[in-house]
Amino acid sequence: MELNWLELNGYRCYANLHFEPAPGVNVLVGNNGTGKTSVLEAIAYLGLLRSFRGIPDESIVSTEAESAVLRGEFSVPSGSVRVEVEIAQDGRRAILLNGKRPKRNRDVLAQVPVVVFHPDDLDVVKRGPSLRRGYLDDLAAQLRPQAAADQAEYDRALRQRNALLRQEGRSADRATLDAWDARVTEAGARVFVHRLRVLDVLDEHLGEAYRLVGASGRLAWEYISNWGAAAADDLAAAEAKLSRALAARRDRDLDQRTTTTGPHRDDPMLVVDGRPARTMASQGEQRTIAVSLRVGAYRVLAQERPTLPILLLDDVFSELDPRRARGVLDLFGGGQVFVTTARDDDVPVDGRRWVVEGGVVR
Amino acid sequence: MFEPPVQRLIDELARLPGIGQKSAQRLAFHILNVDEVDATRLADAIVEMRRDVRLCSRCFNVTADEECSICRDLRRDPAMICAVERAQDIPVLEKTHEFNGRYHVLGGAISPIAGIGPDQLRVAELVNRVEAESVEEVIVATNPTMEGDTTALYLARLLKPLGVTVTRLASGLPVGGDLDYADEITLGRALVGRQEL
């Protein structure tokens, strides 16, 4: 898949941008704060329908504009796909897929596979479990849009159950709680099974990616949960386990006024030769694992989709030692790539150079 | 800003659901330009509706009498109750001509986030009716949303021990539609709720 053109209006520092990238490698060079990452963010937005910076939609609207408009056309084997997003100052947005409103926004997720790699990815390895859950859930949603719907349903059911516990505590109506338990169980089991499927296809690719990055040892996932997820390998088993765990922990939940078990509390741990990467690996190893995670995601998407994903590398090269930097692009396929860098010399690869300055890319 | 009397009407209209500033202005100027009789008729309709309409003492449908026309209709089957979230849902179901029982307006759906539990809904009233009116079946016609489905589940668990059959409206495919166009959730529910031919 390739981005043919990108148009931005009223988006961050871009009042009006028309950008026609090259099919292969595109290197965006510019000083900090000139809007390199914003271009990557916009491309990723058209594929993921949210900012990879994890910020609310309205904050990407330029303060001078009434709304931000992001438009892009992508070429695919069957022709082309056009995605257009308008975000108003109040955060409301309208999405068009090939000029028409999609029936559901998540239909767009299936259209444009993108993989983003940026320095904060190190946190996925280093920090708490929520980023790793997010990594698996995001990949699941890119592979099967239904996963995005199930995740949203689980979030909502959980928020309702937690609201009941928070407001009522020990005096919560047990019958109402029973009803929410059933919803949390249903949706939670589906969220877990989506993760399981991702782990299944990811396993092989991740191990290979880790070797290709030049590391020795075996990189794998170890899925930790307090509701017996390990013993559940299908939907019915997961529902039964989760339902039992919610019942067993009800007393604790009533005391703590929140839901203390379920897929939202799981820790998908990364382990190298059985050692937890979060605490045992060196900074260098952790960086290698972070690269492997993105290479793994790229390869999974490449395998499951008829077209190669678009690869977005945000200021990654300055973090890598020069010896490895050269090899990084080879790890991914031969698809379209966007690289940002403050120093051209940091990116020792051929490709179209673009200078980013004052809201212009040329 | 318009002159105070005009602006006052615009502000009031803009408070209505689905009406923004622009629509409110258009409506206000329309009302300004029609015959005074027409404008008065509109104002009277609002005043009279607020004065005369109340809730049916049995089912909480809107009515101008003690009981609504459906509850008073002797041809309707008192052994069947269809529970809906809002009174507006009743005419929609009535149009199908498929239901010949009575209704019960719950007044919403269970949503802890919005501070709505069974106590805020007319659930106790429904239980009383099931016991007092020898009801045989309660059809739960809450919306197919997370909150509506949860309310249905809650009512089923509450009412079944009373010896009444509790059913839920089927979710399925729109008539005349293509399977291609159905989303997975709807199609999944349609499969679960399939019927023998």
Side-chain angles (χ1 to χ4, degrees), chain A residues 103-104 106 146 153 156-157 160 164 167 175-176 178 180 182-183, chain B residues 110-113 118 146-147 149-150 153-154 157 181 183-185:
Chain A
K103 233 169 107 187
R104 293 144 310 177
R106 63 188 151 91
Q146 179 60 37
E153 197 182 319
R156 181 120 171 242
Q160 290 282 19
L164 181 65
Q167 289 158 16
T176 313
D178 284 344
W180 287 114
R183 308 316 309 275
Chain B
I110 296 176
S111 172
I113 289 173
M146 168 162 293
E147 290 73 19
D149 286 344
T150 306
L153 190 64
Y154 171 83
R157 292 184 179 180
Y181 287 104
D183 66 283
E184 302 88 341
I185 295 175

Short mmCIF file of all heavy atoms in Angstrom, two decimals, chain A residues 103-104 106 146 153 156-157 160 164 167 175-176 178 180 182-183, chain B residues 110-113 118 146-147 149-150 153-154 157 181 183-185:
data_model
loop_
_atom_site.label_atom_id
_atom_site.label_comp_id
_atom_site.label_asym_id
_atom_site.label_seq_id
_atom_site.Cartn_x
_atom_site.Cartn_y
_atom_site.Cartn_z
N LYS A 103 -20.46 2.96 7.04
CA LYS A 103 -21.54 2.59 7.95
C LYS A 103 -21.06 2.65 9.39
O LYS A 103 -21.75 3.11 10.27
CB LYS A 103 -22.06 1.19 7.61
CG LYS A 103 -23.57 1.20 7.40
CD LYS A 103 -24.04 -0.10 6.80
CE LYS A 103 -24.75 -0.92 7.84
NZ LYS A 103 -25.08 -2.26 7.38
N ARG A 104 -19.88 2.14 9.59
CA ARG A 104 -19.26 2.27 10.91
C ARG A 104 -17.85 2.75 10.71
O ARG A 104 -17.18 2.33 9.76
CB ARG A 104 -19.24 0.92 11.64
CG ARG A 104 -20.60 0.39 12.00
CD ARG A 104 -20.62 -1.08 11.88
NE ARG A 104 -20.08 -1.46 10.57
CZ ARG A 104 -19.90 -2.70 10.17
NH1 ARG A 104 -20.17 -3.67 10.97
NH2 ARG A 104 -19.42 -2.97 8.97
N ARG A 106 -15.24 1.93 12.12
CA ARG A 106 -14.21 0.90 12.17
C ARG A 106 -14.01 0.21 10.82
O ARG A 106 -13.02 -0.49 10.62
CB ARG A 106 -14.49 -0.10 13.29
CG ARG A 106 -15.74 -0.90 13.14
CD ARG A 106 -15.96 -1.70 14.43
NE ARG A 106 -17.35 -1.93 14.69
CZ ARG A 106 -18.01 -3.00 14.25
NH1 ARG A 106 -17.40 -3.91 13.54
NH2 ARG A 106 -19.28 -3.15 14.54
N GLN A 146 -13.71 -6.05 14.02
CA GLN A 146 -14.64 -6.46 15.06
C GLN A 146 -14.00 -6.33 16.45
O GLN A 146 -14.68 -6.05 17.44
CB GLN A 146 -15.09 -7.91 14.81
CG GLN A 146 -16.04 -8.47 15.84
CD GLN A 146 -17.33 -7.67 15.92
OE1 GLN A 146 -17.84 -7.21 14.91
NE2 GLN A 146 -17.85 -7.47 17.12
N GLU A 153 -16.93 -2.17 23.60
CA GLU A 153 -18.03 -2.69 24.41
C GLU A 153 -17.54 -3.08 25.81
O GLU A 153 -18.22 -2.82 26.81
CB GLU A 153 -18.66 -3.90 23.70
CG GLU A 153 -20.03 -4.23 24.24
CD GLU A 153 -20.62 -5.45 23.55
OE1 GLU A 153 -20.47 -5.57 22.32
OE2 GLU A 153 -21.23 -6.27 24.26
N ARG A 156 -17.01 0.01 27.93
CA ARG A 156 -18.27 0.60 28.36
C ARG A 156 -18.89 -0.23 29.48
O ARG A 156 -19.34 0.33 30.49
CB ARG A 156 -19.20 0.66 27.14
CG ARG A 156 -20.53 1.26 27.43
CD ARG A 156 -20.76 2.49 26.59
NE ARG A 156 -22.13 2.93 26.74
CZ ARG A 156 -22.99 2.98 25.74
NH1 ARG A 156 -22.61 2.62 24.52
NH2 ARG A 156 -24.21 3.40 25.94
N ALA A 157 -18.90 -1.55 29.32
CA ALA A 157 -19.49 -2.41 30.35
C ALA A 157 -18.71 -2.25 31.66
O ALA A 157 -19.30 -2.17 32.74
CB ALA A 157 -19.47 -3.87 29.89
N GLN A 160 -19.51 1.04 33.33
CA GLN A 160 -20.82 0.97 33.99
C GLN A 160 -20.72 0.20 35.31
O GLN A 160 -21.24 0.62 36.34
CB GLN A 160 -21.85 0.31 33.08
CG GLN A 160 -22.26 1.16 31.88
CD GLN A 160 -23.26 2.26 32.25
OE1 GLN A 160 -23.40 2.63 33.40
NE2 GLN A 160 -23.96 2.79 31.25
N LEU A 164 -21.20 1.74 39.17
CA LEU A 164 -22.11 1.17 40.17
C LEU A 164 -21.36 0.90 41.48
O LEU A 164 -21.83 1.26 42.57
CB LEU A 164 -22.73 -0.12 39.62
CG LEU A 164 -23.72 -0.85 40.52
CD1 LEU A 164 -24.96 0.00 40.75
CD2 LEU A 164 -24.12 -2.18 39.90
N GLN A 167 -20.30 4.29 43.20
CA GLN A 167 -21.39 5.05 43.81
C GLN A 167 -22.00 4.34 45.01
O GLN A 167 -22.31 4.96 46.01
CB GLN A 167 -22.49 5.33 42.78
CG GLN A 167 -22.08 6.33 41.72
CD GLN A 167 -22.91 6.19 40.45
OE1 GLN A 167 -23.97 5.56 40.47
NE2 GLN A 167 -22.43 6.75 39.37
N ALA A 175 -28.60 -7.64 42.23
CA ALA A 175 -29.18 -8.08 40.96
C ALA A 175 -28.68 -7.23 39.80
O ALA A 175 -28.41 -7.74 38.71
CB ALA A 175 -30.71 -8.03 41.04
N THR A 176 -28.53 -5.92 40.05
CA THR A 176 -28.00 -5.06 38.99
C THR A 176 -26.56 -5.43 38.71
O THR A 176 -26.12 -5.50 37.55
CB THR A 176 -28.06 -3.57 39.42
OG1 THR A 176 -29.34 -3.31 39.95
CG2 THR A 176 -27.83 -2.66 38.23
N ASP A 178 -25.22 -8.33 39.10
CA ASP A 178 -25.25 -9.58 38.33
C ASP A 178 -25.37 -9.30 36.84
O ASP A 178 -24.68 -9.90 36.02
CB ASP A 178 -26.45 -10.44 38.76
CG ASP A 178 -26.22 -11.12 40.09
OD1 ASP A 178 -25.06 -11.17 40.53
OD2 ASP A 178 -27.21 -11.60 40.68
N TRP A 180 -24.55 -6.58 35.19
CA TRP A 180 -23.32 -6.02 34.62
C TRP A 180 -22.21 -7.05 34.55
O TRP A 180 -21.41 -7.05 33.63
CB TRP A 180 -22.88 -4.77 35.40
CG TRP A 180 -23.78 -3.62 35.11
CD1 TRP A 180 -24.63 -3.00 35.97
CD2 TRP A 180 -23.96 -2.97 33.84
NE1 TRP A 180 -25.32 -2.01 35.32
CE2 TRP A 180 -24.93 -1.96 34.03
CE3 TRP A 180 -23.41 -3.15 32.58
CZ2 TRP A 180 -25.36 -1.14 32.99
CZ3 TRP A 180 -23.83 -2.33 31.54
CH2 TRP A 180 -24.80 -1.34 31.74
N ALA A 182 -22.57 -10.07 33.81
CA ALA A 182 -22.80 -10.85 32.59
C ALA A 182 -22.27 -10.10 31.36
O ALA A 182 -21.65 -10.69 30.48
CB ALA A 182 -24.30 -11.13 32.43
N ARG A 183 -22.48 -8.77 31.34
CA ARG A 183 -21.99 -7.98 30.19
C ARG A 183 -20.47 -7.93 30.15
O ARG A 183 -19.85 -8.04 29.11
CB ARG A 183 -22.53 -6.56 30.22
CG ARG A 183 -24.02 -6.42 30.38
CD ARG A 183 -24.77 -7.39 29.49
NE ARG A 183 -24.33 -7.35 28.10
CZ ARG A 183 -24.79 -6.50 27.22
NH1 ARG A 183 -25.73 -5.65 27.55
NH2 ARG A 183 -24.35 -6.50 25.99
N ILE B 110 -31.12 0.92 32.69
CA ILE B 110 -30.13 0.94 33.77
C ILE B 110 -28.79 1.46 33.26
O ILE B 110 -28.25 0.93 32.29
CB ILE B 110 -29.94 -0.48 34.35
CG1 ILE B 110 -31.25 -0.95 35.01
CG2 ILE B 110 -28.81 -0.50 35.37
CD1 ILE B 110 -31.19 -2.38 35.52
N SER B 111 -28.27 2.50 33.87
CA SER B 111 -26.97 3.05 33.49
C SER B 111 -26.33 3.71 34.70
O SER B 111 -26.60 4.87 35.00
CB SER B 111 -27.14 4.07 32.36
OG SER B 111 -25.91 4.73 32.12
N PRO B 112 -25.48 2.98 35.42
CA PRO B 112 -24.85 3.56 36.61
C PRO B 112 -24.11 4.86 36.32
O PRO B 112 -24.10 5.76 37.15
CB PRO B 112 -23.88 2.46 37.06
CG PRO B 112 -24.45 1.19 36.53
CD PRO B 112 -25.12 1.56 35.23
N ILE B 113 -23.51 4.97 35.12
CA ILE B 113 -22.79 6.19 34.78
C ILE B 113 -23.72 7.39 34.82
O ILE B 113 -23.37 8.47 35.29
CB ILE B 113 -22.13 6.07 33.39
CG1 ILE B 113 -20.97 5.07 33.45
CG2 ILE B 113 -21.64 7.42 32.89
CD1 ILE B 113 -20.37 4.75 32.10
N PRO B 118 -32.29 0.49 39.08
CA PRO B 118 -33.68 0.01 39.06
C PRO B 118 -34.62 0.92 39.86
O PRO B 118 -35.79 1.07 39.49
CB PRO B 118 -33.59 -1.37 39.71
CG PRO B 118 -32.17 -1.79 39.53
CD PRO B 118 -31.35 -0.55 39.53
N MET B 146 -26.12 -1.45 24.98
CA MET B 146 -25.57 -2.13 26.15
C MET B 146 -26.49 -1.94 27.36
O MET B 146 -26.78 -2.88 28.08
CB MET B 146 -24.19 -1.60 26.46
CG MET B 146 -23.69 -2.07 27.81
SD MET B 146 -21.94 -1.89 27.97
CE MET B 146 -21.39 -3.07 26.78
N GLU B 147 -26.98 -0.71 27.57
CA GLU B 147 -27.81 -0.42 28.73
C GLU B 147 -29.19 -1.10 28.59
O GLU B 147 -29.71 -1.64 29.56
CB GLU B 147 -27.97 1.09 28.90
CG GLU B 147 -26.70 1.80 29.36
CD GLU B 147 -25.64 1.91 28.27
OE1 GLU B 147 -25.98 1.78 27.08
OE2 GLU B 147 -24.45 2.10 28.60
N ASP B 149 -29.88 -3.82 26.81
CA ASP B 149 -29.71 -5.27 26.96
C ASP B 149 -29.52 -5.66 28.42
O ASP B 149 -30.02 -6.68 28.88
CB ASP B 149 -28.48 -5.74 26.16
CG ASP B 149 -28.74 -5.75 24.66
OD1 ASP B 149 -29.92 -5.71 24.27
OD2 ASP B 149 -27.77 -5.80 23.89
N THR B 150 -28.77 -4.83 29.15
CA THR B 150 -28.53 -5.13 30.56
C THR B 150 -29.82 -5.02 31.35
O THR B 150 -30.10 -5.83 32.24
CB THR B 150 -27.46 -4.16 31.13
OG1 THR B 150 -26.31 -4.23 30.30
CG2 THR B 150 -27.07 -4.54 32.54
N LEU B 153 -31.76 -8.12 30.77
CA LEU B 153 -31.22 -9.23 31.55
C LEU B 153 -31.64 -9.12 33.02
O LEU B 153 -32.05 -10.09 33.65
CB LEU B 153 -29.68 -9.20 31.44
CG LEU B 153 -28.89 -10.37 31.97
CD1 LEU B 153 -29.23 -11.61 31.16
CD2 LEU B 153 -27.40 -10.07 31.85
N TYR B 154 -31.56 -7.91 33.53
CA TYR B 154 -31.95 -7.66 34.92
C TYR B 154 -33.42 -8.01 35.14
O TYR B 154 -33.78 -8.70 36.10
CB TYR B 154 -31.68 -6.20 35.26
CG TYR B 154 -32.24 -5.78 36.59
CD1 TYR B 154 -31.53 -6.02 37.76
CD2 TYR B 154 -33.49 -5.16 36.68
CE1 TYR B 154 -32.05 -5.66 38.99
CE2 TYR B 154 -34.00 -4.79 37.90
CZ TYR B 154 -33.29 -5.04 39.05
OH TYR B 154 -33.81 -4.68 40.25
N ARG B 157 -34.12 -11.80 35.15
CA ARG B 157 -33.74 -12.48 36.40
C ARG B 157 -34.69 -12.14 37.54
O ARG B 157 -34.91 -12.93 38.44
CB ARG B 157 -32.31 -12.12 36.78
CG ARG B 157 -31.33 -12.71 35.80
CD ARG B 157 -29.91 -12.45 36.21
NE ARG B 157 -29.00 -13.05 35.25
CZ ARG B 157 -27.68 -12.99 35.36
NH1 ARG B 157 -27.13 -12.38 36.38
NH2 ARG B 157 -26.90 -13.56 34.45
N TYR B 181 -24.40 -6.56 3.79
CA TYR B 181 -24.38 -5.25 4.42
C TYR B 181 -24.59 -5.31 5.93
O TYR B 181 -24.45 -4.31 6.61
CB TYR B 181 -25.42 -4.33 3.78
CG TYR B 181 -25.00 -3.89 2.41
CD1 TYR B 181 -25.57 -4.46 1.28
CD2 TYR B 181 -24.01 -2.93 2.25
CE1 TYR B 181 -25.17 -4.08 0.01
CE2 TYR B 181 -23.60 -2.55 0.99
CZ TYR B 181 -24.18 -3.12 -0.13
OH TYR B 181 -23.77 -2.73 -1.37
N ASP B 183 -23.82 -5.90 9.77
CA ASP B 183 -22.58 -5.93 10.54
C ASP B 183 -22.53 -7.23 11.34
O ASP B 183 -23.53 -7.93 11.50
CB ASP B 183 -22.49 -4.70 11.45
CG ASP B 183 -23.54 -4.72 12.51
OD1 ASP B 183 -24.70 -4.39 12.19
OD2 ASP B 183 -23.23 -5.08 13.65
N GLU B 184 -21.32 -7.57 11.83
CA GLU B 184 -21.11 -8.87 12.45
C GLU B 184 -21.98 -9.07 13.68
O GLU B 184 -22.44 -10.17 13.95
CB GLU B 184 -19.64 -9.05 12.86
CG GLU B 184 -18.63 -8.92 11.75
CD GLU B 184 -18.19 -7.48 11.53
OE1 GLU B 184 -18.92 -6.57 11.98
OE2 GLU B 184 -17.15 -7.25 10.92
N ILE B 185 -22.19 -7.99 14.43
CA ILE B 185 -22.94 -8.14 15.67
C ILE B 185 -24.40 -8.48 15.37
O ILE B 185 -24.97 -9.42 15.93
CB ILE B 185 -22.84 -6.87 16.53
CG1 ILE B 185 -21.39 -6.67 16.97
CG2 ILE B 185 -23.75 -6.96 17.75
CD1 ILE B 185 -21.13 -5.38 17.71
#
